Amino acid sequence: MTYPLPKNEIDRLAALSKLRILDTEPTAEFDAVVEMAAAIFDAPVALVSFLDQTRQWFKARKGLDVSHTCREVAFCNHTIFENRLFQVKDAARDERFRRNPLVTGEPHIRFYIGVPLSLDGRTNIASLCVIDTVPRRATETQITQLLKLRDVVVSLIRTHRVAVDARTAERNARHRGKLLSQIEKMSKIGAWSLDINKLTTRWSPRTFEIHELEGDSPPSLEGAIAFYPEYERQRLADAVGKCMEDGLAYQIECDFITALGNRRRVRTSGELEQAEDGTKHLIGIIKDITDQHEHERQLWHAAHVDALTGIANRRSFHEEFRRRQAAPAPNSTEMASTSMALLMIDLDDFKEINDGYGHLAGDKVLCTVAERVTNKIPRDAFCARLGGDEFAVLLSTASDVASAEDLAGRLLDEIGRPISHGAQTFSTGASIGIARQGEADTSEDTLFAQSDLALYHVKQNGRGGIKTYEPSITEALEERRQAIARVKSAIAEGRLEPHYQPIVETRTRTMRGVEALARIRNADGTVSGPAGFWQALQEPQCAHEIDRVILDLALRDFARWKQEGLDIGFVSVNASSACIHSDGYFERVMKGLDRHGLTAADLKIEVVESVFLDEDSNDVRTVLERLSAEGIGIALDDFGTGFASLSHLRDYPINCIKIDKSFVTGLGENENNTAIVNALVSLGKSMSLSVVAEGIETEGQLDFIAALGSQYGQGYLFSRPMDATQLAGFAAGCEDAKPAGLPRSRARR
C-alpha cells in the first residue's frame, strides 16, 4: 500500500527525533484534547498521531486500544502532506482508502478528519484527527473547534519540548556542577542561589527579566517573596524554610506580580546544596509558565464547557452528578442522593429549523434555549448541553424533586417562546423525560437510562409533553427486547419466511404480481404475522436483517415459480430505511437477481415515505435511482399517510403508488375517503404511475376502486398471505391451495 511523502520528509523526521516525544507516557493534557475532539464530533475515536519513518504512534488516543500502527495504513499520511484540513467523508467509497485494512477491518473507519500539527508552520510532524464508523460530513462549527484544539495541541508540544530541554539542562548541570550557568541559557527560565549563612542572593539575568526588574542587584529573600501575592507568600515561605532546615526540595506553581505590576504564573523550585568547603546554598530555578497555564485553563474550559452555548457540557454534567451523589446532606451524615431528579430535554423540531433556516439559525436556537433554561431553573440546579439538541437539568433538593414536573412545564413554556434571528422569527418545542432517585443506591447510569426511557415515551406519543419514568415504560421496552430476540432467533433457525399476497388487476381479477410479507413460523407450525414482532420492525438493525432475509428468500421462491412455468409477473419486497442505508444494498440486490437467474423486471422495491425524511436522503435517492436505472420498479407504500408525498413523487424515481388501506376502508360510505382515493388515483394516472389500492376486502370496495380507475388491487378479497407452496398452487388455479384466514395484524410488513 503506497502513501504520499512530503518533500521535506528527511527534515520532518529529524525534527520529530529532536522533539523526543515518541514512546513517552500518556499525559492528562493530551488525553483531554482527544476527549474533547471526540465530544465535539460525537465520534468514538480521536487521536494525536506522530508519524515516524515506519509507524504512526499515538501520544493520546480515545476509543482505540493500540498505541501505534504501521505507517502505510495511516490516514494521517495525507493530513501531514499539506498545511490544511484533510477530510474523508466515506472511506469505503474513496479509492485511496476503500481497501485499507483499517477500513475493511477494525476499527472500520468510514469518516476521518484531521489537521496537521507543526511547530514552525512548515514541517508537519503530527496530526490531530477524529474518526467515526459511519459516513458523515463535518459542520463548520466542528471544523472551527477542531482548528482551535489544534492550536492547543501545538502549544502542548512546544511545552513538552521546553520541558525536555529543561530536564536535560538540569541533569547536565547537576552532573557538571554548573546548574546556574546552564539554566541561564534557557528561555523563560531563570536561576538563583541563596547563601544560607549570609542570606545573600544571586540571580541570573533571566531571573531579572522574569521579575521585570532592572539592574543587577537582586533583592533580599524577603524582597523576593514580596513579588508574590499575599495569599501565596506563606506557602512559599514555608517551603523555603523547610528546605533550609530539613533539606526538603520543593517545587511550587503560584501567581506572581512583576516589578511593573504585570500578573504572571511561575513555577519555582529549590534544593539544598553543600559545597566542598562546607558552605550551604539554596539553589533553584524560576520559570515563567504563564502561557502554559493559560493553555491549560483553556483546555479545561474546552473539556468542561460547551463551546457553542457556554453552559456545562456532558463531561462536566457527569462530574457534577457524581459530586452531588457523594456529598453529605446539609446538617446530616446521611447521603443526599435520594433527593436528586434528572430532567432530560430534547428539542422536537430542531432539525427542521436547522435545515430550513440554516445552521446559524440552529445555533441561535441552541444558545437561546440554553440561556432560557439556565435562567428558569433554581439557583442550586445544574444545567448542561449533552450534545446536539439535548439538554439536561439536575435537581438535588427535596423541594425541587417534588416540583420536578411543575418545573418541566415552566421550561416547556419558556423554550416555546418565539426566537428572533435577523428578520426571521420561529419557535421550537421540546419533550422532557424525568427520572427520580427513589433509593440511595440508584446509580447514575440507571437514572440516565430511566430519563431516556421517559423521554422516548414522550417522543413516541406525539412529542411536546412531559413524562416521569414509571416501571410500565420499562415493561414496554422489555416487550420490544423480546420481539427483537424472537426475530433474531427465527432468523438463526430459518423460521423467518416470506408469505405472499397477490397483486391483482382490478378489471380482470388476474394476478399480476405478489408482495412478500415477513412471517415467523413458530415451533408448533403456526405462523405469526407482524402483530407478534412489530416492535422489532422499529429497531434499525433488526429491520435490516428482516429485509435481507426476505429479499433472498423471495428471489429464491420467484425463481422456482418461473422454473415451474408459473406466470406470476413480479415479486415486490419491502425495504426499510436501515436496509437502504446499509453498505452495498444496491450490489446485494443485483447479485441476488443474478444468483437466482432473474431479471430486474422480476423485482419491485417498496418503500415508505419515512425513508425519504432521513438526514441521508440524498444517499437514498442515489440508491433508488441506480435500482430504477437497472429496470427495478420502485413503489411508494402507504401513499397518502406520510409527509410531503407530492415532492417525493417529483424528486425520487417512483413508478408505482400504493394507496393505504385506511382510505380504501369505507369507500362508498365515507365521502372523504372516496374523494381522497379518487384524487390519488387521478394523480397517479396524470404522472403515468401504476396505482395499487391496498386493503380491498369486499366486492363493493373493488367495484369502487375499479370505477375510480385504479389498475391494481390487493387485499383479503383476493387472498390472504400464503407461503411459497400455497402461492404456487394459487397461481396454478388450485382452489384448495388457498390458505385459511389469518387474523388481521396491527402492522403489515
Side-chain angles (χ1 to χ4, degrees):
M1 185 175 294
T2 60
Y3 56 89
L5 285 175
K7 294 181 180 179
N8 63 343
E9 177 68 359
I10 295 177
D11 293 337
R12 194 191 70 78
L13 291 174
L16 178 59
S17 176
K18 185 177 179 180
L19 190 58
R20 283 177 287 179
I21 196 171
L22 294 178
D23 300 313
T24 57
E25 292 294 324
T27 61
E29 294 83 1
F30 281 91
D31 290 343
V33 169
V34 296
E35 287 281 348
M36 185 58 193
I40 288 171
F41 286 81
D42 195 20
V45 179
L47 307 166
V48 174
S49 171
F50 288 82
L51 291 176
D52 200 357
Q53 186 171 8
T54 60
R55 61 173 178 154
Q56 67 168 340
W57 174 79
F58 308 125
K59 174 61 177 174
R61 61 186 190 270
K62 159 73 174 174
L64 201 62
D65 293 334
V66 298
S67 62
H68 64 275
T69 72
C70 62
R71 181 169 172 182
E72 63 181 3
V73 302
F75 282 51
C76 296
N77 285 315
H78 299 263
T79 304
I80 68 165
F81 195 69
E82 297 181 12
N83 290 323
R84 60 186 179 86
L85 181 141
F86 179 70
Q87 182 175 192
V88 179
K89 298 166 188 172
D90 189 349
R93 298 185 178 181
D94 193 308
E95 277 300 317
R96 296 169 296 180
F97 304 106
R98 64 186 185 88
R99 298 183 183 87
N100 190 301
L102 300 181
V103 176
T104 60
E106 293 291 340
H108 299 287
I109 298 175
R110 296 296 298 275
F111 168 81
Y112 170 96
I113 187 170
V115 288
L117 304 176
S118 172
L119 298 183
D120 59 8
R122 302 182 303 276
T123 308
N124 297 327
I125 57 174
S127 68
L128 170 64
C129 64
V130 176
I131 292 170
D132 207 341
T133 56
V134 295
R136 58 187 293 184
R137 181 196 301 270
T139 66
E140 292 182 5
T141 299
Q142 289 170 333
I143 291 173
T144 299
Q145 293 174 355
L146 184 64
L147 294 176
K148 289 181 180 178
L149 279 183
R150 173 197 60 187
D151 297 336
V152 173
V153 179
V154 170
S155 297
L156 291 175
I157 296 174
R158 285 198 177 99
T159 300
H160 167 83
R161 184 178 64 182
V162 171
V164 168
D165 293 342
R167 286 194 297 270
T168 301
E170 289 180 25
R171 186 167 53 251
N172 292 339
R174 288 193 184 95
H175 290 166
R176 297 191 301 268
K178 298 180 180 180
L179 177 62
L180 296 179
S181 61
Q182 291 296 319
I183 294 177
E184 180 68 23
K185 300 176 183 179
M186 300 177 64
S187 175
K188 290 189 177 182
I189 297 180
W192 57 268
S193 69
L194 172 67
D195 186 318
I196 293 179
N197 295 325
K198 299 178 181 179
L199 293 181
T200 57
T201 58
R202 293 178 57 194
W203 283 10
S204 69
R206 181 66 64 184
T207 304
F208 281 95
E209 292 179 15
I210 292 174
H211 285 72
E212 293 186 331
L213 186 65
E214 295 183 355
D216 56 5
S217 298
S220 64
L221 175 61
E222 292 76 10
I225 292 178
F227 279 89
Y228 297 84
E230 288 189 11
Y231 57 83
E232 299 280 26
R233 291 175 189 171
Q234 190 60 50
R235 183 164 64 105
L236 182 61
D238 290 344
V240 172
K242 288 183 179 180
C243 186
M244 290 192 296
E245 294 175 7
D246 304 327
L248 298 176
Y250 69 88
Q251 177 173 285
I252 295 177
E253 288 186 13
C254 49
D255 293 335
F256 179 81
I257 303 175
T258 71
L260 299 180
N262 295 316
R263 298 188 69 89
R264 312 291 290 173
R265 184 79 175 177
V266 297
R267 179 185 296 124
T268 181
S269 62
E271 61 181 64
L272 195 63
E273 182 180 82
Q274 183 170 343
E276 293 180 358
D277 60 2
T279 60
K280 294 182 179 181
H281 288 79
L282 187 63
I283 64 171
I285 61 174
I286 181 171
K287 179 181 179 182
D288 186 340
I289 61 169
T290 305
D291 292 342
Q292 175 187 340
H293 180 71
E294 178 61 21
H295 286 316
E296 290 174 351
R297 188 196 67 79
Q298 292 177 359
L299 192 60
W300 183 94
H301 189 273
H304 291 79
V305 177
D306 179 56
L308 175 63
T309 63
I311 65 174
N313 62 11
R314 177 183 289 272
R315 175 178 178 178
S316 186
F317 190 83
H318 288 302
E319 291 178 358
E320 178 67 14
F321 186 98
R322 289 189 287 270
R323 185 191 69 79
R324 295 192 180 204
Q325 182 139 12
N331 304 318
S332 173
T333 58
E334 297 295 327
M335 304 300 287
S337 60
T338 54
S339 63
M340 283 199 291
L342 177 62
L343 278 64
M344 199 72 70
I345 306 170
D346 191 83
L347 303 186
D348 290 334
D349 45 11
F350 177 74
K351 182 179 183 300
E352 286 75 10
I353 294 175
N354 214 34
D355 293 346
Y357 295 93
H359 292 293
L360 291 179
D363 291 349
K364 173 68 172 180
V365 169
L366 294 175
C367 291
T368 302
V369 169
E371 180 181 6
R372 290 177 177 178
V373 171
T374 53
N375 289 339
K376 202 71 176 177
I377 61 178
R379 181 175 299 177
D380 61 348
F382 190 85
C383 176
R385 179 188 176 206
L386 302 185
D389 59 349
E390 189 174 55
F391 298 82
V393 173
L394 186 63
L395 307 173
S396 60
T397 65
S399 60
D400 287 337
V401 172
S403 60
E405 292 185 357
D406 290 339
L407 173 62
R410 294 195 298 273
L411 289 177
L412 287 187
D413 293 339
E414 188 72 9
I415 293 170
R417 291 194 296 109
I419 297 174
S420 297
H421 176 66
Q424 300 165 330
T425 300
F426 36 75
S427 299
T428 183
S431 299
I432 300 180
I434 303 173
R436 299 177 178 179
Q437 275 191 320
E439 299 179 2
D441 60 352
T442 302
S443 69
E444 177 185 6
D445 290 342
T446 298
L447 200 63
F448 268 84
Q450 290 177 350
S451 61
D452 270 333
L453 288 173
L455 179 61
Y456 178 78
H457 178 86
V458 177
K459 290 284 191 180
Q460 291 296 105
N461 290 275
R463 307 190 301 178
I466 301 165
K467 180 65 177 178
T468 299
Y469 172 80
E470 53 192 30
S472 61
I473 296 178
T474 300
E475 293 171 4
L477 183 65
E478 176 61 19
E479 291 178 1
R480 180 172 179 267
R481 187 195 66 78
Q482 291 179 2
I484 293 173
R486 185 180 185 192
V487 167
K488 290 183 176 180
S489 174
I491 292 175
E493 298 170 6
R495 295 185 292 103
L496 181 69
E497 59 187 44
H499 280 214
Y500 302 94
Q501 188 170 39
I503 298 174
V504 175
E505 185 176 5
T506 57
R507 184 176 56 85
T508 64
R509 297 200 180 194
T510 303
M511 183 169 62
R512 297 302 185 187
V514 293
E515 179 183 0
L517 304 169
R519 297 292 186 264
I520 290 178
R521 188 167 294 278
N522 302 309
D524 61 1
T526 60
V527 175
S528 295
F533 56 91
W534 64 271
Q535 298 97 329
L537 301 176
Q538 298 176 345
E539 199 281 317
Q541 183 60 35
C542 203
H544 168 251
E545 286 299 306
I546 291 172
D547 290 347
R548 180 185 61 80
V549 172
I550 296 301
L551 171 66
D552 185 63
L553 295 178
L555 294 178
R556 179 202 66 184
D557 291 341
F558 194 82
R560 185 166 65 244
W561 295 333
K562 290 187 71 172
Q563 292 172 357
E564 294 172 356
L566 299 175
D567 183 15
I568 293 178
F570 63 86
V571 62
S572 180
V573 298
N574 293 278
S576 64
S577 176
C579 190
I580 296 178
H581 281 100
S582 63
D583 292 338
Y585 177 68
F586 169 80
E587 290 77 9
R588 186 162 67 250
V589 171
M590 299 310 298
K591 287 180 181 178
L593 289 171
D594 183 65
R595 183 170 63 253
H596 293 290
L598 301 176
T599 68
D602 294 326
L603 177 65
K604 289 187 185 297
I605 302 294
E606 292 192 19
V607 297
V608 294
E609 286 187 295
S610 60
V611 171
F612 304 142
L613 302 180
D614 292 339
E615 292 181 1
D616 298 328
S617 57
N618 288 334
D619 293 341
V620 172
R621 180 186 291 110
T622 299
V623 172
L624 295 183
E625 286 176 346
R626 293 180 68 188
L627 292 169
S628 179
E630 294 292 334
I632 295 174
I634 309 296
L636 184 56
D637 199 6
D638 299 339
F639 186 69
T641 62
F643 175 79
S645 301
L646 298 182
S647 65
H648 295 151
L649 294 180
R650 177 195 64 200
D651 297 336
Y652 292 85
I654 306 297
N655 50 36
C656 175
I657 58 175
K658 302 188 75 174
I659 300 175
D660 186 71
K661 64 181 180 181
S662 63
F663 298 116
V664 175
T665 302
L667 279 176
E669 300 174 3
N670 187 310
E671 293 183 359
N672 290 333
N673 278 16
T674 303
I676 291 172
V677 172
N678 187 34
L680 296 180
V681 171
S682 299
L683 176 64
K685 286 183 176 180
S686 66
M687 298 184 70
S688 299
L689 303 174
S690 298
V691 179
V692 179
E694 299 181 294
I696 299 176
E697 298 185 358
T698 67
E699 293 288 346
Q701 291 172 353
L702 175 61
D703 292 340
F704 248 99
I705 285 295
L708 292 175
S710 176
Q711 304 103 309
Y712 305 103
Q714 183 178 348
Y716 287 173
L717 176 64
F718 309 113
S719 174
R720 293 174 179 267
M722 300 171 270
D723 63 25
T725 301
Q726 292 170 327
L727 191 281
F730 180 85
C734 300
E735 286 299 320
D736 57 355
K738 291 185 179 181
L742 298 176
R744 295 189 186 182
S745 301
R746 62 180 297 178
R748 188 181 65 81
R749 177 76 178 180

